[in-house]
Amino acid sequence: MPVSIELNPPLAIVHINNPPVNALSHEVRLGLLNACKKLNTDQAIKAVILICDGRTFIAGADIREFGQPPEEPHLPDVISSLEASTKPWIAAIHGTALGGGCEVTLGCHYRVAVPSAKLGLPEVNLGLIPGAGGTVRLPRLVGVQKAIEMVTSGKPVKASKAKEIGLIDALAPDHQLEQFAIEFATSMMNEPTPLAVSKRPITDIPNLAETADILAGIKAKARGQLSPLEAASSVLDACNLSVEDALKNERQRFVKLKESSQSKALRYAFFAERQTTKIDELKEVEPREINHCGVVGGGTMGAGIATAMLLSGLQVTLIEQDEDEAATAKNRVIKTLEASLSRGLITQARFESIKTDFKATSQFEKLKSVDLVIEAIFEDMAVKRDLFEKLSKTCSKDTIFATNTSYLNINELAESTVNPERVIGLHFFSPAHIMKLLEVIKTDTVSNEVLATGFALGKKLRKVPVLSGVCDGFIGNRILSSYRKQCDYMLEDGASPQEIDEAMRAFGMAMGPFEMQDMAGLDIGWANRKRLAPTRDLNERYVKIADRLCELGRFGQKTGFGWYEYPNGARKGIPDSTVEAIIVEERAIAGIIPKSFSPEEIQTRILDAMACEGHKILSEGIARSASDIDMVMILGYGFPRWRGGPMFMVQNK
Ligand code: 3HC
């Protein structure tokens, strides 16, 4: 039974045990309701403690049940029963009290938590809003502003913060939650039971102008996602409706969103993200322990990778060509760590110890005893081959050799080492200490043990590792390349860079494709096109506009000109007549009469191109599954998560 009662008059302890995360399945809801009814009639019981077994308090509704017909008792009714109980209920929280789990605590009369616990309403991440009273009760405890922040960001708060804002009543010492809850309940038993949360007033109701401002700000930030606006609206409605009506209003919004394509896409993404590491052939494989890593190359990528490793507690030795370059690379890493320090992501003590332990040097032999070394030098096969040969001579025969190449053939690179079974691709995305995606590239020769270690390292770095086979650009850059080609075709056929950028921003991308190229630098793509030129199919359409911009030294923001002009170092570009003239000339050379494109046509053409390439990648066995491809596009390329990814979209048209 997932819910059990331990009677210890005058206290009762209700335990939930529903691994892995104590989700509120039908059985748990029923068990809780029955426990509440039973304890209400037990005269010997004066207070009830609700506590969970395992690694966490209730992590929310059971997301797997969302696709099925709802079964009674519904969660809002269970929580209302707890709130109306004749005995005070005390939620004793460890791990995470999320979504419906947090709402259960709001139905209790007291909340106590260990310092490591977190509480939050992350429903927006699933395209939902809290559906069991969260938007109605939370503002009564923490105020409207904080409640809106929590339900629209979905970010949980730590127990200490929860105490500060009034979300919990007391902090329990670590590892003594149950004992503390018993003492707390005993001391409260003879006090008058506090007013149910839903009976408390909301004290900071915003006026009409403030309400409009709040909603406008959230809409702008949500970039097409519906749930944040719905969540804020539900909190704001709760300020003016009776509790009964506010709960009904919240439930209606919740049920409507549950059926929306956005929520279906986000729920798909939730499970897809957890599928990427479930690889049959690695199930029984024990990864190697990785403690000390080498990073060769301290440019943007190398420094970012080193930072990610240091932040995850790994020892790092970074190699640069000479001591000056090594010092510059070290400074680059320290600067990023300083930013992490100022954002409160690491403590001052941790910052100082990383700073002392982190070594950047030109002495290659310092890599002798590392467990894994990753190269992040420039994209040149001959130089990388030389490096791998050198590494073979320097490092132990067990050291794993990883490359961060974005395009090059890693099978070829593996050939240059003594033990090719230890060569793997670990393709990070910039900024490497922030971006969640890690493509783990499986060469023809890599051993399962090394592959499993790549995945374990990805998880240690708090990334989502996705398996990819070897091909030009792997999963992500290969799809990006067909996306860009499609943009170039539309450009030559009549669309402007601004129209394409605007259409893709309206689609939900963080940036349009041309703005993105200007930010990343047009020279990268140019070098790549030149590399591929000798093997390009001469029958394939080729648009020369980007090459012509590069020939003029227009490499994007860093040169002040690219697809747009950036006067005086401006971050936002303005349309440029030189670009327009080149586009017009190229259309004329190709004999094209320009046509107009609607935003929908632009979006559809791009989406179809991405999905089409995705299908090719699948049929070639480069990606394991359509959902892995979607994860790559969402986590590495800014594809809007609430659309589920290109493969999900075409499958659910
Ligand atoms: N329902 C069903 N399964 C869930 C679940 C949930 N709410 N939360 C997690 N799981 C599953 C995962 O799919 C995973 O399954 P798997 O092992 O088969 O892959 C397993 O539990 C463990 O999850 P994680 O790998 O994510 O474990 P972590 O320890 O890394 O993280 C967590 C734990 C922080 C709880 C994280 O799982 C999480 O954020 N879960 C979702 C929380 C959430 O969104 N809650 C709100 C749900 S909606 C709701 O409550 C509506 C209400 O308002 C009415």
Side-chain angles (χ1 to χ4, degrees), residues 157-182:
V157 292
K158 289 187 188 149
S160 54
K161 182 80 186 165
K163 171 83 177 55
E164 195 185 307
I165 62 177
L167 181 51
I168 62 168
D169 301 289
L171 279 169
D174 264 326
H175 312 298
Q176 291 171 37
L177 181 61
E178 187 168 330
Q179 187 50 38
F180 180 85
I182 291 172

Side-chain angles (χ1 to χ4, degrees), residues 20-21 23 55-56 59-64 66 75 96 98-101 103 121-123 126 128-132 251 254 270-271 274-275 278:
V21 294
R55 67 198 215 214
T56 180
D62 191 332
I63 306 168
R64 286 171 216 272
F66 284 171
L75 187 57
T96 43
L98 298 177
E103 289 170 302
L121 292 164
E123 285 87 344
L126 298 169
L128 299 167
I129 66 166
R251 193 69 186 169
F254 172 83
F270 176 86
F271 290 114
R274 284 156 179 80
Q275 278 302 318
K278 297 196 168 82

Side-chain angles (χ1 to χ4, degrees), residues 268 474-475 478-479 482 607-630 633 645-653:
Y268 158 82
F474 315 122
I475 298 175
R478 187 165 148 185
I479 293 182
S482 32
L607 179 69
D608 287 348
M610 289 171 120
C612 188
E613 195 62 40
H615 284 299
K616 279 193 211 153
I617 286 173
L618 265 183
S619 64
E620 289 167 26
I622 298 295
R624 254 180 357 131
S625 64
S627 66
D628 272 6
I629 296 178
D630 284 333
M633 298 323 291
M647 307 304 279
F648 177 83
M649 277 190 82
V650 294
Q651 276 159 19
N652 291 278
K653 255 185 183 170

Side-chain angles (χ1 to χ4, degrees), residues 35-197:
C36 183
K37 283 182 186 161
K38 185 164 182 247
L39 294 171
N40 275 347
T41 58
D42 189 332
Q43 299 303 323
I45 298 301
K46 302 282 178 237
V48 185
I49 292 165
L50 175 63
I51 196 161
C52 292
D53 295 350
R55 67 198 215 214
T56 180
F57 193 79
I58 306 164
D62 191 332
I63 306 168
R64 286 171 216 272
E65 286 184 0
F66 284 171
Q68 301 158 16
E71 263 189 284
E72 288 186 350
H74 302 307
L75 187 57
D77 301 330
V78 176
I79 293 174
S80 295
S81 301
L82 294 184
E83 198 178 44
S85 161
T86 51
K87 324 279 157 84
W89 278 62
I90 295 114
I93 306 160
H94 75 294
T96 43
L98 298 177
C102 184
E103 289 170 302
V104 165
T105 74
L106 296 174
C108 293
H109 304 88
Y110 297 101
R111 288 149 291 281
V112 300
V114 288
S116 56
K118 288 180 182 173
L119 292 91
L121 292 164
E123 285 87 344
V124 278
N125 299 331
L126 298 169
L128 299 167
I129 66 166
T135 64
V136 180
R137 291 190 180 92
L138 189 63
R140 293 177 151 81
L141 269 191
V142 305
V144 173
Q145 202 190 337
K146 192 71 208 163
I148 288 183
E149 194 185 308
M150 284 180 70
V151 296
T152 57
S153 72
K155 285 195 189 125
V157 292
K158 289 187 188 149
S160 54
K161 182 80 186 165
K163 171 83 177 55
E164 195 185 307
I165 62 177
L167 181 51
I168 62 168
D169 301 289
L171 279 169
D174 264 326
H175 312 298
Q176 291 171 37
L177 181 61
E178 187 168 330
Q179 187 50 38
F180 180 85
I182 291 172
E183 284 160 19
F184 185 91
T186 310
S187 70
M188 292 299 163
M189 222 157 35
N190 299 319
E191 301 284 323
T193 304
L195 212 52
V197 174

Side-chain angles (χ1 to χ4, degrees), residues 538-556:
L538 293 176
N539 293 317
E540 192 189 325
R541 182 174 177 188
Y542 188 78
V543 179
K544 296 201 185 93
I545 302 169
D547 291 350
R548 287 194 55 189
L549 297 188
C550 291
E551 282 157 16
L552 295 174
R554 301 180 64 112
F555 294 149

